[in-house]
Amino acid sequence: MIRITGNLRFEEKVGMDQARHVLNYVKQDATYGTFGEFPDYFKLEDWKWKIQDISHAKVNEKISEHVFRFTIKLNSDLIKIKRGGLQHLIGILAGDLFYLRISDIPNFTFEVTNVNLPESLWNEAKSSYTPNSEFSISTIREMFNLSSEPLLAFSFKPRVGLKFEKVREISLKVLKSGFNIIELDTRNLELTDNNIDKLVNLAKDASACSSHTTVFSPNLSAPAPIAKQICKRFVDVQNEPILIKIDGGLDGISTCQEIRRDFPPHGIEEDTKSPIITSYPLLRSNLDPNVPPDFFNRALSASGADILYPGGRPNFGSDIRSLDASEIDNLVNSIERYRDIVKKGRPMPSVAGGVHAGQLHLYYELLGPSVAYFLGGAVALHKDGPVKGAALCSDVINKAVELREKNPKARYPPNLPEKMIKRVESAYDPNTESEDLYKYHSPEIEIPKIHSFGTIESWFYNR
């Protein structure tokens, strides 16, 4: 059974019976129901229901006079993974299921806190879309020839509007400055035939532009038939690693699944090439509270997304714009969550959404080398342009790696050199009265503060 748990909240004081009454309607609407009870016509002996125990619902406890904890169970046979089952389940939860009104019952709202699928369904998704040789964190790092350094990506900014010649020039120079990946960012979906021709040539040149492993990633966040056709062109002109971006929008899960059907992960067949899929889960917060964000992330990953921004990155409180970062007072949980994702081995989590160069040393110490950095403004907002911005970010990461390797068992590494700190803090025009906006975050100062709220140490300490 699929277990959906959450809270049912009423505007006025109600009793358990009223809560059960509401939940019974929702249980029926989730599967076979309509606005009333079915007559005996559907319950006669000669009716043969092909699915027994279709759904169950239970009010688990009364939390307060207004709030009740509930569980709804749906028969797993209703969800066909290979035939859009994950999309179907998300549609059930995010659709009209929790927006009904019942006469003589005070208004109410639902919050879904967890969706628990049987492991058999997750395993079916894995066997269908990430079979046998999947792109794990360790595999991706090996393909990019990484040792102690993390994966560095530039999510190209400005997103749209630049002439292609400038996109090409900046992309190749940023890769030469130490980055591994250039990706066309969210909202850059100019997929005309003429532009695709140019991007395919750029991808071919990007893969051979530097002594370290470099790739160009198109944004193929489009319906599956279009994405598959274009993807083949990029696969044909490159050796692995090959990257494409498929964001978690309306077509995200379906498009990931179709790409994986046509391009299974390498190792299945010796002559098969397959792209690593990166994804920004656009709808993960917008579907909340009906679809828990972490369930949406897992559905994307199970459908083939290999590098994923999980949302809720650690927030150090100095961002000019925090895009889906953690709450400032939830820093410890955010760090532990990233570490837990890394321990699972897949997907590779990324840090994104408003990160600047002054934070990179601290991020590296807290999250370790297996987290990817997808940087946009940190590169593009440099006062001297994105190539200088890329060189700065790359230099900070390289120095962070060097300091840690020289002090492998130290509780905290030394700070960046003073000259580099000045370079970091003078790199951006803050356009604000705050002088601390782009400040350098020292691990030896910041980690003890974080430790005081929990048990967080540097990722490298005592390893």
Side-chain angles (χ1 to χ4, degrees), residues 291-444:
V291 180
D294 283 348
F295 174 76
F296 186 73
N297 286 348
R298 189 172 183 184
L300 266 176
S301 177
S303 298
D306 307 295
I307 303 176
L308 180 74
Y309 176 56
R313 65 166 172 81
N315 183 352
F316 304 132
S318 65
D319 302 335
I320 191 169
R321 183 196 67 167
S322 293
L323 187 59
D324 200 11
S326 69
E327 298 296 330
I328 293 175
D329 61 355
N330 197 33
L331 187 54
V332 171
N333 285 342
S334 175
I335 295 167
E336 290 177 340
R337 177 168 170 263
Y338 264 82
R339 293 181 179 183
D340 287 342
I341 295 172
V342 169
K343 285 179 183 178
K344 293 175 182 176
R346 187 184 177 278
M348 175 182 280
S350 65
V351 170
V355 177
H356 61 80
Q359 300 169 323
L360 293 179
H361 190 191
L362 182 56
Y363 270 120
Y364 180 71
E365 281 293 318
L366 288 171
L367 303 181
S370 295
V371 171
Y373 294 85
F374 277 64
L375 309 176
V379 173
L381 296 180
H382 193 285
K383 289 189 291 186
D384 297 322
V387 179
K388 292 291 186 180
L392 173 63
C393 293
S394 181
D395 288 348
V396 169
I397 286 293
N398 289 338
K399 180 56 70 171
V401 172
E402 177 187 325
L403 291 172
R404 177 45 73 178
E405 288 183 338
K406 288 181 178 179
N407 303 272
K409 296 184 180 180
R411 191 164 193 173
Y412 318 112
N415 284 342
L416 297 179
E418 191 62 34
K419 186 176 181 180
M420 182 173 283
I421 293 175
K422 290 180 179 179
R423 183 182 163 200
V424 165
E425 295 186 338
S426 63
Y428 308 100
D429 182 3
N431 291 318
T432 177
E433 296 179 358
S434 172
E435 297 181 356
D436 294 333
L437 186 60
Y438 295 115
K439 72 176 183 178
Y440 166 65
H441 289 257
S442 163
E444 67 178 1

Side-chain angles (χ1 to χ4, degrees), residues 73-116:
K73 297 180 181 180
L74 306 181
N75 193 305
S76 301
D77 289 342
L78 297 169
I79 303 301
K80 308 298 183 184
I81 293 294
K82 295 181 181 180
R83 294 293 184 267
L86 291 173
Q87 299 91 311
H88 175 45
L89 180 57
I90 290 172
I92 290 173
L93 298 171
D96 61 0
L97 180 64
F98 296 117
Y99 294 97
L100 74 163
R101 289 291 176 260
I102 301 174
S103 61
D104 300 325
I105 298 288
N107 286 344
F108 48 86
T109 57
F110 281 88
E111 175 194 18
V112 177
T113 55
N114 190 45
V115 178
N116 191 326

Side-chain angles (χ1 to χ4, degrees), residues 132-272:
N132 300 335
S133 298
E134 62 186 9
F135 289 126
S136 65
I137 293 174
S138 60
T139 298
I140 292 171
R141 289 183 56 77
E142 181 180 350
M143 294 175 76
F144 277 92
N145 297 303
L146 300 173
S147 54
S148 299
E149 68 274 27
L151 193 65
L152 273 182
F154 175 35
S155 296
F156 202 103
K157 305 289 197 312
R159 288 188 175 110
V160 296
L162 282 187
K163 293 181 179 178
F164 179 79
E165 291 73 19
K166 296 305 296 182
V167 173
R168 176 185 174 84
E169 175 189 337
I170 292 169
S171 295
L172 295 178
K173 287 182 177 180
V174 166
L175 291 174
K176 291 176 183 178
S177 296
F179 273 58
N180 306 104
I181 299 167
I182 301 290
E183 70 161 18
L184 292 185
D185 201 9
T186 300
R187 290 186 275 285
N188 189 328
L189 277 172
E190 191 177 347
L191 300 179
T192 62
D193 291 340
N194 182 52
N195 201 53
I196 290 299
D197 289 341
K198 296 176 181 178
L199 294 177
V200 168
N201 287 330
L202 174 54
K204 184 177 179 180
D205 293 341
S207 65
C209 77
S210 180
S211 59
H212 66 282
T213 306
T214 54
V215 299
F216 173 83
S217 171
N219 183 356
L220 302 186
S221 305
I226 297 172
K228 288 195 299 182
Q229 180 182 13
I230 298 173
C231 180
K232 186 178 187 307
R233 296 192 59 189
F234 283 90
V235 169
D236 287 345
V237 301
Q238 302 171 77
N239 293 321
E240 292 181 325
I242 303 163
L243 258 75
I244 62 170
K245 176 180 173 67
I246 300 174
D247 286 332
L250 290 179
D251 292 302
I253 291 175
S254 296
T255 301
C256 282
Q257 291 174 354
E258 287 301 305
I259 292 292
R260 279 292 171 252
R261 286 191 180 104
D262 276 23
F263 304 93
H266 71 97
I268 306 303
E269 300 174 10
E270 291 185 3
D271 61 347
T272 295

Side-chain angles (χ1 to χ4, degrees), residues 14-22 59-63 68:
V14 299
M16 289 284 285
D17 287 346
Q18 289 171 300
R20 291 191 186 100
H21 184 60
V22 169
V59 177
N60 297 331
E61 62 177 316
K62 185 175 184 177
I63 298 175
F68 299 81

Side-chain angles (χ1 to χ4, degrees), residues 40-49:
D40 290 341
Y41 174 84
F42 293 99
K43 303 173 186 178
L44 298 175
E45 285 295 325
D46 59 345
W47 279 79
K48 302 297 182 184
W49 291 81

